[in-house]
Amino acid sequence: LSLVLKGISFCIVVLPLMIALLYKIKPGYLHRLISGHEKLFIFIRRPGSILLGFFFSILLQALGMDAVAVLGHGMGLGIETSYYFSVFPLVALAIIIPISFNGIGVREGGFIYFLGLRGIPQEKALTLSLSFFGIQVISSLIGGIVYGLGLHKR
């Protein structure tokens, strides 16, 4: 798992920075490489966009973990917030493995397993998982409606 995380970190942080450096050294070479795909490689012209994207990614994950913690506290599970922040990134990593549709089943199994380590009954863990998934679906639907109506272009 440690090797996988290092590989992901390399691809997200180091590789784009290396490409940005190559752009500074040999701009013509990269122009041929990315012609027609400029929008995909915006980080070459603006390397700060990588850090900004990374910041927003971390912020979004923290908000998700905090949402799980708030739901858990609201359900009276009695688990400290730090536990959610230390364990549920592992559940998030498991969800992205393409073995189920939208992580359904994998997420619930992760919640049941990790909350079970703290003595939480399976039913409550499943309820927490499905509640969090419901919040994610509703917020995604709202964003989809905004996008579908073209409000994001204003």
Side-chain angles (χ1 to χ4, degrees), residues 36-50:
H37 306 293
E38 290 84 11
K39 290 188 178 183
L40 294 175
F41 294 97
I42 193 168
F43 59 84
I44 291 174
R45 289 197 180 90
R46 289 186 254 159
S49 63
I50 297 170

Side-chain angles (χ1 to χ4, degrees), residues 1-11:
L1 181 64
S2 175
L3 185 60
V4 171
L5 292 176
K6 288 177 184 176
I8 291 170
S9 298
F10 177 80
C11 290

